[in-house]
Amino acid sequence: MNPPNTMRAALLVGHGGPEMLQVRDDVPVPVAGPDEVLIEVAACGINNTDINTRVAWYSKSVTAATSGEGYSDADAADSTWGGRGVEFPRIQGADVVGRVVAAGERADTALVGRRVMVEPWLKDPADPTDRSKVRYLGSEADGGFAEYVTVPAVNVYPVESDLSDAELATFACASSTAEHMLQRIGLGAGQSIAVPGASGGVGSALVQLAHRRGARVVAVAGASKVAQVLELGADVVVPRQGPEHDVAAAVEANGGPFDAVADVVGGDAVAPWLDALAGCGRYVTSGAIAGPMVELDLRTLYLNDLELYGATIYGPGLFADLVGYIERGEIRPVLGGTYPLEAIREAQEAFVRKEHFGNLVITL
């Protein structure tokens, strides 16, 4: 097929609240480069990076919890995950699902016509381990909140599944982040892990992926979401009431300290969760929804031989493994709702309120 010359897309025109997103129908359709493919987007999930980038939360000058509004104290020069600024206008959206409609001259033409998922980390093909050259779809490159997007062909993964496009769009960011977190700490069968914030996209993926490994999973979630988290494979779900209560209740439910904690919440609960780890326990984080600034008693760290891990850019092979889990039905989508592209402001506002369970997705 020959794509049109223009398309609908949501343009992020600056840092701030949802009003900085403008949906237009006269945006030029991108042209695939020699090593790229052009994808007609069917669905694209929303994730925390979209919000954090829009409001400039990644700036080191910001110390507050994630908010749906812009931060007046943010420095635009370091407003992205990688410590750089955003080039506006930018099309956000990392969790792309769609069909390949064109391929560059060096790309695999067999991809044309295939339904695909897109790995959102864009790495230097000559040196994929060089973190300084890594970009993120929707941050350093235009993403999937548009009818068409171009990506390197190496980032495209055909997927054979009966799941809908919207369901497939729940996996890319959240599940790859969760898988990376569990790989970083080497979680294995028979080990115990606590998962705060288990009803969100990454949290619900952590529950499933930890259960898949044969670990004992004690999750924390809002009282209205306990049953849903249990269905994902958690052994116990503690209804959220507050940091001190949540940690104490989780330790009691586990019968003692944890081997690991996988946390995307952060804030005031970090110190109590470190206290909840057994000797040589591991704490891994890939987010700080409740705030990035935490207190740490170094005695807790060194006297208990604890290990602290950050998890952002994962290595080769992980995304292919994830697609395999999906195709074999080893993990399932947690679709919290869909919105049309024209309602992207409302969708991001709903995402920030965290009243949903799982992932929210834009459909095109």
Side-chain angles (χ1 to χ4, degrees):
M1 62 166 287
N2 292 319
N5 294 322
T6 59
M7 65 180 182
R8 287 182 302 133
L11 300 180
L12 180 66
V13 297
H15 292 303
E19 73 279 357
M20 303 309 290
L21 291 163
Q22 298 181 1
V23 178
R24 294 172 46 179
D25 60 7
D26 60 349
V27 178
V29 171
V31 176
D35 298 301
E36 295 180 328
V37 295
L38 176 68
I39 297 172
E40 184 175 15
V41 180
C44 185
I46 299 173
N47 63 67
N48 280 303
T49 299
D50 300 320
I51 311 300
N52 294 340
T53 301
R54 171 168 59 76
V55 303
W57 180 83
Y58 288 119
S59 172
K60 293 292 187 182
S61 59
V62 175
T63 59
T66 301
S67 165
E69 304 301 321
Y71 291 93
S72 58
D73 53 344
D75 183 349
D78 68 342
S79 58
T80 67
W81 68 274
R84 299 181 289 270
V86 180
E87 294 183 11
F88 297 112
R90 172 65 71 214
I91 301 173
Q92 294 189 292
D95 297 55
V96 175
V97 172
R99 291 192 180 277
V100 176
V101 295
E105 60 189 45
R106 291 196 297 263
D108 184 2
T109 57
L111 291 170
V112 176
R114 301 292 300 275
R115 184 165 76 142
V116 298
M117 295 175 59
V118 175
E119 180 178 3
W121 286 113
L122 310 176
K123 301 172 183 177
D124 182 358
D127 187 4
T129 63
D130 187 341
R131 292 174 58 91
S132 68
K133 297 178 182 178
V134 175
R135 301 176 298 150
Y136 195 70
L137 194 64
S139 177
E140 288 75 37
D142 284 338
F145 294 149
E147 291 181 306
Y148 294 90
V149 63
T150 56
V151 297
V154 295
N155 284 72
V156 167
Y157 291 77
V159 58
E160 299 295 335
S161 172
D162 292 332
L163 297 175
S164 70
D165 295 325
E167 288 173 325
L168 285 176
T170 65
F171 289 112
C173 177
S175 294
S176 64
T177 297
E179 178 73 1
H180 184 206
M181 293 171 74
L182 299 183
Q183 287 188 5
R184 288 282 279 162
I185 60 175
L187 186 71
Q191 297 180 344
S192 61
I193 185 168
V195 181
S199 64
V202 177
S204 59
L206 281 166
V207 170
Q208 292 193 71
L209 290 165
H211 174 73
R212 179 185 172 275
R213 282 169 166 73
R216 173 174 171 78
V217 182
V218 178
V220 178
S224 65
K225 303 170 183 176
V226 168
Q228 292 167 295
V229 177
L230 284 170
E231 290 178 358
L232 295 179
D235 293 278
V236 180
V237 182
V238 173
R240 184 174 58 247
Q241 295 187 34
E244 296 292 344
H245 171 275
D246 297 349
V247 175
V251 171
E252 182 179 0
N254 191 51
F258 289 93
D259 297 306
V261 174
D263 185 20
V264 294
V265 179
D268 294 338
V270 171
W273 280 121
L274 293 179
D275 286 330
L277 284 168
C280 299
R282 295 98 73 202
Y283 172 94
V284 60
T285 180
S286 189
I289 297 167
M293 310 307 292
V294 302
E295 290 189 0
L296 170 62
D297 187 335
L298 287 175
R299 291 166 296 187
T300 301
L301 176 63
Y302 77 79
L303 290 175
N304 294 294
D305 295 299
L306 302 183
E307 300 177 17
L308 306 185
Y309 293 86
T312 295
I313 304 172
Y314 50 80
L318 184 149
F319 202 84
D321 289 344
L322 177 63
V323 173
Y325 303 160
I326 296 166
E327 291 184 327
R328 293 190 296 271
E330 296 175 6
I331 57 174
R332 65 180 180 85
V334 185
L335 179 60
T338 61
Y339 291 79
L341 183 64
E342 287 72 17
I344 190 169
R345 293 182 183 179
E346 292 82 356
Q348 288 200 4
E349 288 174 329
F351 184 91
V352 171
R353 289 196 299 271
K354 302 295 182 186
E355 296 171 356
H356 61 285
F357 180 73
N359 302 75
L360 299 181
V361 172
I362 299 295
T363 56
L364 291 99

